[in-house]
Amino acid sequence: MINRILLALSSPVRFRPAARWTVSLAARLNAHLFAVYLLPADTSSDRTRPEELRAGRIRKHSSEEEKAWQVLYEIEDQSFNQNVRVSLLLETGEPLARLAQLCESYRIDLLVVSAETPLSPEYLLRHSQKPVVFFKTDKEE
Amino acid sequence: MPKKVSELLLPAAVILKLNSREKSAVIAELTAPLVTAGLVTSEQEFISAIMRRENLESTGIGFGVAIPHARTNAVREAVIAFGRSETGVDFSSLDGKLSHLIFLIAAPEALKREYIWTLAKLSSLLRREEVRNGLLQAGSVDEVYAIIEQYERL
């Protein structure tokens, strides 16, 4: 029984086919979708760095965060239109460790990973406690 | 180019001390000035769209922040209302915290791109602790604008 699906993304590029497929699956199964965008750790608040470097990092990180939220809210919009219960999460840090924690915290039944993520398929398939779907896309529509 | 958050925020819809304590009452309190300003043409339709989303998902993004939102034809033009709650309101955030900073976004059905952009911009701004602390401590509507404008420029 699949009640909770986690969709893991980490790029604003070519995420739509994986998102659309996962939202449709969640709609068919009446499952709760957790859309997670994994960002590298924020180093913009590192006060040991020179001020101008920090300002640049804040700008870069804010821009990456905004793109991540755009991806998440686009998924939210699709989910809403298909009556899918959805939770959005923007996570920073080491992606594999975060994914493992999220799967446990939210008692995930199925993990969907976009092939655009830097996660190693072999590693995930070997270590995941749950079924994993890797969504490979060659091009954006 | 979509409008900035500070441009979309309606001064008359900045409520530094919300009277309501329950989610649906807070949403109604934040919607009222938008109706008065003529930006929301049907209060009932708009609140119903907001509540439909609230029943399906959590718009609490964590860190004591909630962004209830709806895109519907009951809205004439995109606008944001802001309310601050001393006691906190339960928006079912995944982190389990009550929301003290509540931004309500209203947009016409046709403005999907701008709506998503605004949600993303606001969510990104509000993840910054300095922004949240500034908004929690702001003593006036002008101070709320100043904080948002300052961090939007970054």
Side-chain angles (χ1 to χ4, degrees), chain B residues 51-66:
Chain B
M51 292 313 293
R52 191 184 149 220
R53 194 178 289 270
E54 290 296 328
N55 290 335
L56 209 55
E57 65 195 68
S58 159
T59 56
I61 64 166
F63 311 106
V65 176

Side-chain angles (χ1 to χ4, degrees), chain A residues 34 44 58-59 62 65-66 69-70 73-74 76-77 80 83-90 92 106, chain B residues 49 52-53 56-58 61 67 69 71 94 112 115-117 119-121 123-124 127-128 154:
Chain A
F34 292 80
S44 61
I58 288 172
R59 270 193 295 278
S62 295
E65 264 202 24
E66 273 174 46
W69 280 113
Q70 283 179 31
Y73 280 114
E74 199 172 316
E76 187 222 48
D77 204 57
F80 180 67
N83 279 319
V84 170
R85 191 170 170 222
V86 64
S87 297
L88 308 181
L89 296 134
L90 182 62
T92 52
Y106 298 119
Chain B
R52 191 184 149 220
R53 194 178 289 270
L56 209 55
E57 65 195 68
S58 159
I61 64 166
I67 311 180
H69 53 278
R71 204 174 85 235
L94 283 176
K112 180 180 170 183
Y115 171 71
I116 286 176
W117 188 91
L119 279 163
K121 182 77 190 176
S123 300
S124 178
R127 271 179 63 100
R128 301 201 73 83
L154 284 176

Side-chain angles (χ1 to χ4, degrees), chain B residues 77-90:
Chain B
E77 60 183 85
V79 63
I80 299 175
F82 166 61
R84 202 169 59 189
S85 166
E86 276 179 11
T87 50
V89 183
D90 186 4

Side-chain angles (χ1 to χ4, degrees), chain B residues 8-10 13 34 39-40 75 77-81 104-108:
Chain B
L8 291 169
L9 186 62
L10 183 72
L34 308 184
L39 297 169
V40 168
V75 178
E77 60 183 85
V79 63
I80 299 175
L104 181 142
I105 301 181

Side-chain angles (χ1 to χ4, degrees), chain A residues 48-83:
Chain A
T48 62
R49 292 175 187 277
E51 192 61 36
E52 63 272 24
L53 249 177
R54 280 182 52 217
R57 281 178 184 274
I58 288 172
R59 270 193 295 278
K60 185 170 181 288
H61 191 80
S62 295
S63 163
E64 285 171 356
E65 264 202 24
E66 273 174 46
K67 285 178 188 159
W69 280 113
Q70 283 179 31
V71 168
L72 291 173
Y73 280 114
E74 199 172 316
I75 294 169
E76 187 222 48
D77 204 57
Q78 283 177 34
S79 302
F80 180 67
N81 291 335
Q82 295 187 48
N83 279 319

